[in-house]
Amino acid sequence: MNDILSELGWRDLVAQHTPELPEELAKGPVTLYCGFDPTAPSLHMGNLAQIVTMSRFQKLGHTPIALVGGATGLIGDPSGKNAERTLNTTDTVMEWVEGIRKQLEPFFDFSGSNACIMSNNYIWTHDMDVLTYLRDIGKHFSVNRMLDKESVSARLNGAGISYTEFSYQILQSLDFLELYRRHGCTLQIGGSDQWGNITAGTDLVRRVESAQVNGLTTPLVTKADGTKFGKTETGTVWLDPELTSPYEFYQFWINADDRDVQTLLRTFTFRTQEELAALELATAEKPQARDAQRALAHDVTTLVHGEHATAQAKAAAAALFGQGELRELDATTLDSAMREAPNAAVSLNGNAPTVSELLVACELVASNGAGRRAIAEGGVSVNNVKVTDENATVSIDDFLHGKWLVLRRGKRTFGGISLIK
RNA sequence: GGCAGAUUGCCCGAGCGGCCAAUGGGAGCGGACUGUAAAUCCGUCGCGAAAGCUACAGUGGUUCGAACCCACUAUCUGCCA
């Protein structure tokens, strides 16, 4: 049962792999890598799937290399893009590299015989001269084969592709070669959109080093309703708590569709097959309890943000979604819950603001008129008490712990108003 | 390059001189129902408490009065070269 392929197999996490991979893994632990390009200030859900996959390898004794793409991030991967990317400045990319490196660290074990290795492909590319690149690396690539890659051919039939992005697969292949030489890395993993880039790398290592190295891709996570995984109405769900708060992050998982929850559990958690079967049964028997979603949200939020932040997110959710218990909530929990929500600060200098004005202040509605309308529709509550009067105002006594006013619009949209003394 | 037509609110799309803040559909939002779901039904959907204000590509004009008529500009689409 400590066989990584059977582990990934039952979790449905293998899209494709090189035919020689099972044989290689049968010989014992390997060193593998996955690249993370700094295309944004933070990692996101797509990256998390790969991080978790790498972590599964490490837990079973393999050595992971987390490669930050300082160089490839400057070039831009054409995979899955139907138009040329806008190049980010070097300064921006370097800043993101650092942030992403820090973000990756907590997921891996840096001790023991199979300690995780952090690397950056900027190291072996930034001072490579053009002639070396063309003679030593470029010579091994057939343009005919490069054109056949899905990521390139899709663009040739569409918006076109620059020489810069066309060269991306060469850089990624070079990474595999360098990691093979430096660390004996013999496996690259990635999302299924990376298959072309990965096989380009295994080809290069075979030509240059006469060595068989392997690739494995995981399926793209898709959702039953057809919308893109990892996005909410407000945008991408990031791993950085500054960009996506732990509360929002927790809510993202809690709101998973019943139809998707098993896939997500298999992909993003370390729960066993037996545990997942039990949760599947629970979903079927009493879907309203949403035990599977709770387990998912708990596990993934803990993995990414830690125990403490998870407890806070849960407490906040329980308080906000619970009925009428807000006054019993302690100040610390309330405080953190409210910081998660859109909030605004007001001062009560004698004038009592109306509820609709406060709704506008924390951007729960677009205009005062919309706020009054929302109240008239019976969709607004203050501290979990429904507001019935369009002209209702609040007073100092309404602020919980003398500090926060909890506004709710509809069933699950919250906002906070803090009091400036 | 020449001729013809189009441009309406988040999207599609009616309106073609006063009764137009502008029919209808979709999306969104709220309510009922529910599981912080799906489906369904109901309501709502420019700003303003209101008077009123701002809007129908832009600018200017005709008119007591324009989304609607005219001119020019911009963009898009057909047809001819």
Side-chain angles (χ1 to χ4, degrees):
Chain A
M1 189 54 227
N2 64 350
D3 171 5
I4 185 71
L5 275 185
S6 61
E7 166 81 9
L8 297 179
W10 75 258
R11 288 183 187 274
D12 261 338
L13 290 178
V14 181
Q16 279 174 296
H17 64 76
T18 45
E20 298 82 1
L21 180 62
E23 192 186 332
E24 171 75 15
L25 287 171
K27 291 184 206 157
V30 301
T31 297
L32 69 142
Y33 97 93
C34 180
F36 300 92
D37 273 5
T39 54
S42 167
L43 297 169
H44 51 78
M45 289 305 132
N47 300 319
L48 183 61
Q50 298 312 316
I51 291 169
V52 174
T53 305
M54 282 225 286
S55 183
R56 292 187 206 288
F57 272 92
Q58 185 170 33
K59 283 174 193 293
L60 293 176
H62 303 277
T63 303
I65 300 173
L67 180 79
V68 181
T72 38
L74 287 168
I75 302 305
D77 186 356
S79 303
K81 298 279 169 186
N82 52 22
E84 190 82 5
R85 290 168 186 252
T86 310
L87 288 177
N88 294 306
T89 65
T90 309
D91 285 351
T92 304
V93 174
M94 290 305 148
E95 200 176 299
W96 290 349
V97 162
E98 193 45 33
I100 283 167
R101 196 182 60 75
K102 283 193 185 130
Q103 246 181 350
L104 285 167
E105 282 174 356
F107 292 98
F108 301 104
D109 187 350
F110 286 86
S111 62
S113 59
N114 64 329
C116 177
I117 298 165
M118 294 294 284
S119 195
N120 183 344
N121 56 23
Y122 190 73
I123 297 167
W124 52 82
T125 41
H126 80 281
D127 60 355
M128 176 178 277
D129 65 274
V130 167
L131 293 179
T132 305
Y133 170 76
L134 290 175
R135 288 179 64 93
D136 294 358
I137 307 300
K139 197 66 180 169
H140 300 289
F141 284 82
S142 146
V143 169
N144 305 45
R145 295 196 61 180
M146 289 173 74
L147 291 174
D148 282 342
K149 302 285 182 193
E150 166 66 29
S151 58
V152 175
S153 65
R155 290 275 288 278
L156 289 178
N157 300 326
I161 184 167
S162 68
Y163 182 72
T164 308
E165 287 195 11
F166 177 61
S167 313
Y168 185 91
Q169 52 178 295
I170 297 183
L171 281 196
Q172 187 165 332
S173 303
L174 179 60
D175 292 344
F176 206 162
L177 180 62
E178 284 293 334
L179 292 173
Y180 171 77
R181 287 170 170 168
R182 291 165 186 243
H183 302 292
C185 176
T186 54
L187 171 63
Q188 179 181 183
I189 68 167
S192 55
D193 58 335
Q194 289 298 309
W195 182 247
N197 288 335
I198 291 174
T199 53
T202 59
D203 285 349
L204 180 67
V205 176
R206 184 183 316 109
R207 282 160 201 262
V208 177
E209 298 288 335
S210 305
Q212 172 63 42
V213 292
N214 295 287
L216 178 145
T217 61
T218 58
L220 222 58
V221 180
T222 56
K223 293 208 299 181
D225 63 8
T227 57
K228 200 172 177 194
F229 172 74
K231 302 268 183 191
T232 64
E233 309 80 56
T234 37
T236 303
V237 178
W238 303 102
L239 302 193
D240 184 338
E242 297 293 319
L243 297 176
T244 299
S245 72
Y247 172 79
E248 283 176 87
F249 190 84
Y250 184 84
Q251 289 296 314
F252 169 76
W253 297 101
I254 265 288
N255 285 321
D257 195 306
D258 287 355
R259 293 170 294 178
D260 297 323
V261 71
Q262 279 291 322
T263 306
L264 297 176
L265 281 164
R266 283 197 305 266
T267 308
F268 291 100
T269 75
F270 295 97
R271 301 221 171 201
T272 64
Q273 207 158 2
E274 292 71 34
E275 287 175 295
L276 294 196
L279 286 171
E280 187 164 21
L281 194 65
T283 300
E285 284 181 350
K286 45 182 180 108
Q288 66 276 21
R290 291 177 310 128
D291 287 337
Q293 280 88 342
R294 285 177 207 285
L296 175 68
H298 174 269
D299 284 15
V300 185
T301 310
T302 306
L303 177 70
V304 175
H305 296 298
E307 301 275 357
H308 181 69
T310 305
Q312 293 276 314
K314 279 185 181 176
L320 295 174
F321 287 105
Q323 300 297 318
E325 290 166 27
L326 280 173
R327 288 197 178 270
E328 287 154 39
L329 203 62
D330 67 84
T332 316
T333 308
L334 179 68
D335 208 50
S336 66
M338 293 287 65
R339 282 179 202 289
E340 304 288 0
N343 59 67
V346 296
S347 60
L348 292 178
N349 299 325
N351 54 332
T354 65
V355 173
S356 64
E357 281 165 357
L358 295 175
L359 288 169
V360 176
C362 60
E363 297 177 344
L364 251 43
V365 296
S367 68
N368 205 356
R372 300 171 69 88
R373 194 186 307 129
I375 294 170
E377 289 172 339
V380 175
S381 62
V382 171
N383 296 338
N384 277 345
V385 177
K386 185 180 276 193
V387 179
T388 49
D389 176 7
E390 292 181 29
N391 297 309
T393 58
V394 298
S395 70
I396 183 94
D397 298 329
D398 294 319
F399 285 79
L400 303 171
H401 298 287
K403 176 156 187 207
W404 286 104
L405 202 63
V406 180
L407 296 178
R408 194 177 78 200
R409 172 163 195 232
K411 260 174 287 202
R412 49 188 188 139
T413 312
F414 296 91
I417 299 293
S418 64
L419 184 63
I420 299 172
K421 292 189 176 134

